[in-house]
Amino acid sequence: MFPSKASNFFTFLVTIFSVTRCHADLLNIMPPNFQQAMGLAHEIWHNPQVMEETGQQMIQSFQDATAKLQEDHVGIQTVFSAFNSETLSTIKTAIRGTSSRHNISAQCENDTLIFVEGLALRQTWALRMFDATGKPPSGIMNGDIHWLGKYHQCINVTAEVNVTQIDNSTHLEYPFTGQHCNLLYPLAAPGGNSSAPGQGAMGNMFALMQSLLVGMCVPSSCSALDIETVFNATLAEIAYQMNKTGNKTATGVHVQCIQQYTDWDGGAIAVMCVTSLLLLLVVIATAYDVITKQLQLMKIKMMESPHAKMYTSDNGLLQGHRVDEHTPLISDGQHTQETVNVKVRQEHGMAAKILLSFSLYTNGAKILNTTQTAGTLQCIHGVRFLSLSWVILGHTYVFAISIIGNFGDFGALIKRWTFQAIVNATFSVDSFFVMSGLLVTYLTLREMKKNEGKLNWPMYYFHRYWRLTPPYMLLIMVYVPTFKYWASGPLWPAEPDPFCKDNWWTNLLYINNVVNPDKMCVAWSWYLANDMQFFIISPLIIIPLYRSGILGTVVLLVVMLGSFIATGVISTVNDIGTSLAAQAGANGANGFDLIYIKPWCRIGPYLAGMLFGYLLYKTECKQKLHWSLVLVGWAVAAISALAVLYGLYDQFQGYPLSNGVAAFYNTVSRTVWGLALGWVIYACCTGSGGFVNTILSWEGFVPLSRLSYCAYLVHPIIMMLFYLSTETVLFFSDLMVVYLFLANLVAAYGAAFLVSLVFEAPMLGMEKAIFRRGK
């Protein structure tokens, strides 16, 4: 007797082996008499009487065959010789019986019979359908449990049937085409929780991690429910006959048939119309910019150049100007640029400025400009780019782990100490919280000081909302309705984000991490919700800091203490693990929902950033610390950061942490990381950064830093586009991951540049034009 879960899994494999019987590896583990085994497999197909007599024999034969693999391969011709008239009759009888007992559609039944008869007659189209079905490969015990088959080969098959007329003439009919469907058998323990929310594209990817998948090529007239009913009925019957216990109920096979989208629906057409109008506006704005502003700007620069100064004669023609010893060797570029800007601004009204905000020429120059104004915290650009690169590296593993064929190798991989930086890549998000808290505190306090403690608080909130929301919402508008038309494949989702239809408004209000978090639209947007929530309450700390450093610090520490208490209690009560992959509590609690995305548990690094932002404001980035203090600061920061990243190494060597220790780590680790990174930024900005500051302040990071927000928005879409459209599983190695990471990084920033040009930069330009923020 088998345990129920193991029995179900075994019976599922029996059925799959029966369906995928011509694979060479499978033939090696078949009983010696292949003809008899094939006949038995056909009779198993919904024939309880035969199963009653031969169920235990099949189990024994598989056990014996597994113990001693055959050395002789059976050719494909031998496989199909099993389809003799008697076997064919048995299959047809089983199909008709199944259809009558389980309400399978008549068309599906008829087309399936045509398919089986085509196999028996060795017709090419039927063999191609059979060949396109996924089959058990080598490496199953190493985690190769996704047998995708050949998607495009399947959908390109058209059945051909010779129909005889009354006058004995014949003609070809084409009753159906091939359809790719995935059979998923869940392997996770009952009641297990996924560590990530949502369905759709991301939900499918995480579901695959816990399921055996077999790609089936079936007639297009069969629905997913038809196929699911057939397989569940088969598994239930076999399991009943094996165990002689329980009842004959469905055993958990889920079927997804991949739809082919050719005709665009109304939502996609509406999105394309809006996007086309936006692109048309960009083209018009760019042409207007080049024809009016840029040509005029070039003319003014030519006239005011000290190297070859030009003047206009009475007849309006440009004449040359003599260069002598009084001509300066280096022009005053700032004066010339200011003169140009003033002259250009004087000739453009509000409408023209709004139009120019959509210009590719101007926006591209702004994005790629590496010039940094005085007072800029230059190292921030390097930290921002490297942090997002870390995010993309972590997601390169996470998004691909559902479709890799050597999942078993991760047991050894995760034990490598170097891999701890990947396991703990979630700290990269805390780096963004640190930078956000530091910048908002530093810049706001400087603005308040300049205005004697006053600040336009409505504009404070509006600017932040306008800075983040338009590209965010526009991306959702384009991604959700049109993603299904971008590609196709055996894993391609019917809807990329089904929850967006009902929950998009939570994203718009930045509350999607606390309202319906299990149905989150764009699952990676939880970070944006947290960041906006922290920003909203930031004046409650910034104003006290401006009035009194001690008072503000006390308020900050009280909020931090409250976060510690909340995180510690939640982690202890629910027995939450220390890593995102292990954050399923003993009571079925979901650590992702309870801790990972909740603002009261994630605000620690933001507060650490606010603390260092205040220190930079007070010192005006000019404080010079004694070399001994600098050395101590760097040592403490380095040790703390390394302890956070690599302190869990023993846990992955088989020495799990107690609930109390895990709760302590969950409580303080992210804040410790935030304080360590805060010191790095503080040291670099006050002249104590050394070569670290030299690296982080490289001007090449400036445009990449500007693109980081859009790159964060688009990089999961880039990954899903690639991973879900692949027709084969991936086999991970260090070299493969490096290759995929670099590809994802370049693709994400390339797409971010386009999104920023069309969506982000124009919105910022409009705000500046309307509110005259540049003056």
Side-chain angles (χ1 to χ4, degrees), residues 77 81 167 191 215 218 257 269 295 404 409 413 441 452 503 647 663:
Q77 187 66 25
S81 67
D167 59 357
V218 299
C257 290
I269 293 174
L295 292 180
I404 63 171
D409 291 339
L413 181 64
T441 304
E452 298 179 351
N503 293 289

Side-chain angles (χ1 to χ4, degrees), residues 3-83:
S4 60
K5 193 67 180 180
S7 175
N8 289 344
F9 178 59
F10 178 78
T11 56
F12 181 69
L13 285 178
V14 169
T15 305
I16 296 304
F17 287 166
S18 301
V19 175
T20 60
R21 51 197 171 274
C22 72
H23 186 263
D25 293 332
L26 175 61
L27 297 180
N28 286 344
I29 63 171
M30 281 289 187
N33 190 336
F34 184 74
Q35 182 78 12
Q36 178 183 355
M38 291 304 303
L40 177 61
H42 297 322
E43 291 180 294
I44 286 174
W45 195 257
H46 303 296
N47 194 326
Q49 183 176 359
V50 175
M51 189 64 236
E52 175 74 18
E53 300 171 354
T54 60
Q56 294 299 328
Q57 297 178 14
M58 173 169 279
I59 297 174
Q60 187 62 45
S61 67
F62 268 88
Q63 290 175 342
D64 294 341
T66 303
K68 184 178 181 181
L69 297 178
Q70 293 187 69
E71 297 180 356
D72 297 329
H73 288 262
V74 181
I76 188 70
Q77 187 66 25
T78 306
V79 174
F80 290 105
S81 67
F83 286 95

